[in-house]
Amino acid sequence: MSAVARIWARMRTSKTVVASGGILFAIALVSIIGPWISPNEYLTTNFDNILRAPTASAGHVFGTDDLGRDLFVRTMMGVQVTFVVAIVASVVSLLIGVLYGATAGFIGGRVDAVMMRLVDTLYATPFIFFVILLLVVFERNLLLMFVAIGAINWLDMARIVRGQTLSLREREFVQAAQLIGVSTPRIIFRHIAPNLVGIVIVYVTLTIPQAILIESFLSFLGLGVQEPQTSLGKLVNDGTKQMEGASWMLLIPGVLLAAILLCFNFVGDGMRDLFDSRRSQ
Amino acid sequence: MSLLDVNGLGVRYADKDVVSGLSFGVGSGESVGLVGESGSGKTQTALAIMGLLPGKAAISGSIDFAGTEIVGASERQLNTLRAERIGMVFQDPMQALNPYVPIGKQLRRVLLRHGISDGREVDQRVMHMLDRVGLPDPARQFRAYAHQLSGGMRQRVMIASALLAQPDLLIADEPTTALDVTVQAQILELLERIREETALLLITHDLGIIAGHCERLVVIEAGRLVEEGPTRKLFSEPRASHTRKLIDAAPRLDGDSPPAPESAELVLEADNVSVSYAERNERLQLHAVMDLDLQLQAGETVAVVGESGSGKSSFVRAVLGLVPMRAGRVTFCGQEVAGPLQARSIETRRDLQLVFQDPAGSLNPQLRIERIIAEPLTVHAPELDAKARSERVADALQRVGLDEDLLGRFPHQLSGGQAQRVAIARALIVNPRVLVCDEAVAALDGSVRQQVLNLLHREQQATGLAIVFISHDLAVVRSISHRVMVLYLGRLVELADGAGIFRHPRHPYTRALLDAVPVPDPLAPGGRLSISGEVPSIIDPPSGCAFHPRCRYAEQRCRVELPLVRPVGEARVACHRAEELEL
């Protein structure tokens, strides 16, 4: 845990990381609490009250959509989906990517060649067609979309971790462990993995925006989250249809999406700088 | 008048003084040695003179260079000064050269900065300079990249680069620390030759280097001046105890070798070990080690000595099972052991331990010292409970002379000497029969080096540990070696007992290694050059005796016929002329 503690201490010293992290935390908190205290439901339609502009007095702070549904609750629901995507993407790329990459890099030779050619093959597969096919053959659901996003996210991670492991493997402390008689899985866990923490954390924060964008993109195409559920990408899609008459339907989720992406990118960049400065010291 | 005048220099990082109140001068054309152990502030002083300290360093005092004040000078002034008047040679030439630009092109820039723009003239002057610093075939090296040159050649290029600017002062910061002794002697000789045109500030931790090459000495400790004066005077009557300590810590060639161990129990035996590496898709076999033998008795220390490229590391790594053997067998306590490490029994792996050259690199930076030292126990004594384990760790720590409050630290919080002791403690905690030390003290300061050697010797006396000690420097192994093996290009050239090889070397290469050792004595400084050139590449080894191109005694027979190892007197020597030569 010491590595994590040190990273935490470093993170707190960077203003960008603290500010961006704070904004993300605030958005997440509001997205959980907001729908709970709001008097409106995400799927209640009200045809007397369609395309109402945002006002505080009428109880619809973000306005309503073309079916009269409250946009605040729907936007917050979209934010939740976005964060879930972020968590799933990072967990999947962490678990599969790190283990796969570390194993390939440490064992090396033919095993490495075969494992990495598989990654190359998956890279070369046209991902969108792959997802469309999946969604057509199986029923469209959230889980499937997460699987699809996870499936491409771990590829980058595996490559990065493999490269790092290749250089770690040549370090003398690994040879020292081999001489002592430490078993290979133990070397990977005790000696390789802790030294990957830095690069992995940085990379995870940088893949999260990518995953969020993919989800928004799929939802925008109508392949992602299905009605009456929603996500930020889908809200933006709906907004574009009404952007002449009801610009708030596009602007509010759009700005939120951009803010979340920017914050994740800032956190990622800040972390990368922190780790670079540690290396150069 | 002084060329460089450092007055009350202070360098401070946050709340830590690394240099304080340091004053000394360098006259024009003078050579001055700045001596101190690592962490004494030598390099910080050099960087301050060059105006290269990072922005977060607070500098006080004054540095006057030929009338120009360096402290507080603008970047523009400093650039002019650095480009035209002060040259610098760093410790690691690989870091100082751009790996993507051919060296000729890098040197050309120095002249362009000086307003010489005629292409032909520039190239000619660069090539002339490369020739002067002793680079063979300058026309070819002109187009070479840094990685294609050896360490010694790169350092020559750095010196050429500094000299092209015709500086008034050349600062050399540990210019030979990363090099073999023989190459070190060559570089020092080169620095001696260029003394006619520039003053020299030679920064080093090794008094042996200083003894023969500097007129005046400045000794510093913890950022403060300890003593200053003419080299001879300081060596003959040092006033400060720290100077005395530094002189005593420098390795010397005289003195006794340890007496032979009493028992004659053979622990480790290697027969006809050969190691080859496949290059270029296995079409080319590089023979790194050819037919080497080793017999090691309990309580004995065998030194394996040679320049880099001699195959000494490959040899012991093959014996340990870290690299595959092409041929040969290894016997441990009378039983043949398998080649590769993974195929060896857990007991064999416990009994053969290795200490690496770079103490920081051989400790996992993410683990605390306690876990690093305890790790072998988790493999070889898993039955121990937490209490017994920490007792063993405490015991190991005490054996290497370290304090228990280090246990909670991380490797980067230790000094080089402490880290190397931790590495030794990790190797000793399972009580191995054989300890292999691969240049284990090369990265350490003189006094720390001696402490580590003493510690190994003590351990050997107490437990009958057998030690294989690899080094490129004969002086380092003198005090601890019962027998010495000298290797050249993967073959044995001489094997003799410690006392014999230092008093009466029988192979010209052994003689050359001894001559190259810089001795801390200004009247007989050593560091002489009795061989030229560097170790040839194993891709294309010379015919006959591999040493003949560098041997001053070589005759026709040596060029065609490979000398076999045969007994000469008490020693075993591979030289056609071993009996007739008076070395």
Side-chain angles (χ1 to χ4, degrees), chain A residues 19 24-26 54 130 149 154 167-168 207:
Chain A
L24 283 177
F25 185 72
F130 177 68
I149 290 172
W154 70 272
S167 75
L168 281 173
T207 50

Side-chain angles (χ1 to χ4, degrees), chain A residues 173 178 180 190-191 195, chain B residues 317 349 361 364 371 375 380:
Chain A
F173 66 81
Q178 285 175 322
I180 288 166
R190 275 284 288 271
H191 295 281
N195 284 291
Chain B
R317 271 160 213 252
R349 288 170 81 165
N364 186 342
R371 285 179 72 178
E375 178 147 51
H380 297 290

